[in-house]
Amino acid sequence: MSKLTLKNITMDNKKFDEMKEITFPDGHTLNIYQRFSFAKINQVFESMTKISEESKAVRGVNLNKFELLDFLSLLLIEHFTDLKFSKNLRNKFDEYETLLNSDYYSLIIKAFDKKEIDKFYNYFSEKLQLAEKMIKQGENVKQQINEINNQKDELFAKSKDDLDEPKPTN
């Protein structure tokens, strides 16, 4: 056994750049990444957030027309294949819908390694649980702050009364 070094890690990370070509029944081909790095998985979630925010501002673009798992799978395809989608959000949503309604969609998803798909969805689930936990903690902190503010108002009101009353001197 040898000691792990950053050079070893760098060499090992090259596996995330490897692509394989898949051939569809009609003869078309597509390159897909064989393995999913966490950095690239994070890019998917950054895209999801960005698209979600942008879709609110673009008239005629409705993110709700996609089921969550389909939307995630479309982003997965966008980030882990060489299939090119438009940068224009309205066009991208049309392209997503076209792909989703095609036979290619399920063939592409099935072409990914099951372990990598599981890694992707497990990571998503963990991030979602963490976000839910943070939201709950934030709500608890907000409630505690409100309670402190209410107590502060009561305490300071009493203190102010105390200050207004002259104190006897000896």
Side-chain angles (χ1 to χ4, degrees), residues 103-155:
D103 293 333
Y104 294 105
Y105 174 73
S106 65
L107 294 172
I108 295 169
I109 295 298
K110 289 176 185 172
F112 288 117
D113 184 294
K114 183 176 177 354
K115 284 192 270 183
E116 297 302 305
I117 294 286
D118 289 345
K119 178 168 77 173
F120 175 81
Y121 283 110
N122 286 337
Y123 190 72
F124 174 73
S125 178
E126 289 170 8
K127 280 187 97 72
L128 189 59
Q129 288 173 359
L130 180 62
E132 288 172 349
K133 184 177 180 180
M134 290 174 67
I135 288 169
K136 186 175 179 178
Q137 287 176 342
E139 289 170 355
N140 289 342
V141 167
K142 186 176 178 181
Q143 183 180 2
Q144 289 172 351
I145 290 171
N146 287 337
E147 289 172 9
I148 290 170
N149 282 336
N150 291 338
Q151 290 174 356
K152 172 193 68 126
D153 292 341
E154 291 174 20
L155 289 172

Side-chain angles (χ1 to χ4, degrees), residues 87-103:
K87 295 203 183 302
N88 176 284
L89 196 60
R90 186 172 285 124
N91 293 343
K92 181 183 294 229
F93 274 37
D94 289 343
E95 293 163 352
Y96 282 172
E97 193 165 16
T98 299
L99 177 58
L100 192 58
N101 291 321
S102 75
D103 293 333

Side-chain angles (χ1 to χ4, degrees), residues 49-63 89 93:
T49 303
K50 181 180 175 193
I51 288 172
S52 177
E53 289 302 313
E54 286 178 8
S55 69
K56 293 174 188 173
V58 177
R59 178 179 232 135
V61 173
N62 184 5
L63 182 59
L89 196 60
F93 274 37

